[in-house]
């Protein structure tokens, strides 16, 4: 998938598009639950990378069905910018699309997410098997230290760490103050910050069933050096780049 303007041709959003969106949503929920059962049963004796490859199968199937039912595809620019080693990625959060596609965008990784997601039967158990870093948002100041310790342990194991710094899905064109955890982790672990922008929120809104046809554009940005810098400066630089390129 190379760089360049969007290749999609807008189509009118009629009843068939809505029907395709409903069919996709039903498949998404059913496939995720059923695959979650399979994943939990198949994963305990497998190493992490084998588990991650199973997660990629889940994602590939979902994105293929999304393309067939809703005419929604994606393309990635800037893969050559991914640095060697394992680092911290900050990804724009505007839909459910990026929570699926992230497994295909980056090398094997873990991600920070709210603790409540790990309570979902089978799906949440699968998330735990993928070594996700669960955040207790009401746990007080000590939670940040725990998250950083977990993040540094995952980085030491050779995994990337993915963070959605906005903390919640934001409508297209909107943002909020980025959380500091990702930048702080990169500083303390002396890793790079890789910003990733996309426009998935326009095609797969955070609310409603309708998915618009087209091609989601994902841009992987130039790595940001974090070692020896103020985490707030890193955050500001990453947010400026992500938001500017998400609006392009």
């Amino acid at each position: 998938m190379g760089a360049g303007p969007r290749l999609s041709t807008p189509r009118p959003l009629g009843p068939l598009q809505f029907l395709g969106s409903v069919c996709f949503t039903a498949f998404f929920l059913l496939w995720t639950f059923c695959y979650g059962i399979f994943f939990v049963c198949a994963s305990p004796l497998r190493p992490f990378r084998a588990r991650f490859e199973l997660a990629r199968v889940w994602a590939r199937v979902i994105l293929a069905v999304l393309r067939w039912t809703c005419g929604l595809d994606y393309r990635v620019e800037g893969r050559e910018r991914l640095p060697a080693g394992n680092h911290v990625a900050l990804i724009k959060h505007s839909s459910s699309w990026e929570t699926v596609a992230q497994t295909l965008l980056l090398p094997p990784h873990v991600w920070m997410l709210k603790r409540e997601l790990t309570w979902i039967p089978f799906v949440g158990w699968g998330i735990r098997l993928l070594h996700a870093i669960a955040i207790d948002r009401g746990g007080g100041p000590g939670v940040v230290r725990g998250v950083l310790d977990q993040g540094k342990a995952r980085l030491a194991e050779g995994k990337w760490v993915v963070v959605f710094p906005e903390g919640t899905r934001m409508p297209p064109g909107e943002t909020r103050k980025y959380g500091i955890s990702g930048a702080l982790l990169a500083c303390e672990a002396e890793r790079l910050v890789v910003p990733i922008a996309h426009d998935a929120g326009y095609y797969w809104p955070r609310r409603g069933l309708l998915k618009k046809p087209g091609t989601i554009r994902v841009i992987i940005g130039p790595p940001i050096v974090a070692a020896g810098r103020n985490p707030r400066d890193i955050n500001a630089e990453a947010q400026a780049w992500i938001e500017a390129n998400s609006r392009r």
Side-chain angles (χ1 to χ4, degrees):
M1 297 183 179
R6 287 201 190 107
L7 302 179
S8 57
T9 301
R11 303 204 308 260
L13 305 181
L16 288 179
Q17 189 68 31
F18 182 77
L19 178 61
S21 298
V22 171
C23 290
F24 168 76
T25 301
F27 172 82
F28 178 49
L29 296 174
L30 183 62
W31 169 249
T32 297
F33 181 74
C34 292
Y35 197 82
I37 296 174
F38 163 75
F39 184 86
V40 169
C41 294
S43 293
L45 299 180
R46 296 173 182 265
F48 174 80
R49 286 183 177 269
R51 298 178 195 176
F52 195 81
E53 288 305 317
L54 287 177
R56 281 178 165 168
V57 172
W58 167 78
R60 286 191 183 100
V61 171
I62 287 175
L63 296 183
V65 174
L66 179 65
R67 185 172 63 251
W68 299 335
T69 57
C70 302
L72 181 53
D73 203 354
Y74 75 100
R75 53 201 299 268
V76 182
E77 304 168 25
R79 284 192 188 274
E80 70 281 357
R81 294 176 181 149
L82 287 176
N86 59 307
H87 303 276
V88 178
L90 302 186
I91 303 181
K92 175 69 180 174
H93 200 18
S94 59
S95 76
S96 296
W97 180 86
E98 60 270 15
T99 63
V100 176
Q102 66 179 29
T103 60
L104 306 177
L105 300 178
L106 292 165
H109 59 267
V110 304
W111 64 100
M112 295 185 186
L113 46 74
K114 57 184 179 182
R115 183 182 59 172
E116 290 78 4
L117 293 176
T118 66
W119 298 344
I120 303 172
F122 295 107
V123 174
W125 304 340
I127 290 173
R128 292 181 186 180
L129 286 169
L130 287 170
H131 299 173
I133 301 171
I135 301 174
D136 179 6
R137 293 180 176 177
V143 171
V144 175
R145 187 71 262 161
V147 166
L148 292 175
D149 289 342
Q150 289 184 68
K152 286 191 284 187
R154 301 293 187 267
L155 289 169
E157 294 165 358
K159 305 177 180 76
W160 282 67
V161 174
V162 170
V163 181
F164 297 108
E166 289 161 303
T168 189
R169 292 172 294 173
M170 300 298 297
E174 296 184 20
T175 188
R176 63 190 297 182
K177 184 179 179 181
Y178 278 21
I180 198 70
S181 297
L184 190 57
L185 172 61
C187 284
E188 292 195 4
E190 297 186 343
R191 303 300 172 106
L192 301 172
V193 169
V194 177
I196 301 179
H198 61 82
D199 56 2
Y202 172 77
Y203 298 97
W204 183 336
R206 62 177 185 152
R207 293 191 178 94
L209 288 174
L210 185 65
K211 312 295 187 294
K212 298 177 183 178
T215 303
I216 293 168
R217 185 184 184 193
V218 181
I219 309 175
I220 298 173
I224 299 171
V225 175
R229 296 182 60 192
N230 187 318
R232 299 188 185 281
D233 294 339
I234 299 166
N235 235 18
E237 183 178 344
Q239 183 166 13
W241 189 92
I242 291 172
E243 296 305 321
N245 282 276
S246 293
R247 289 191 295 266
R248 280 173 51 183

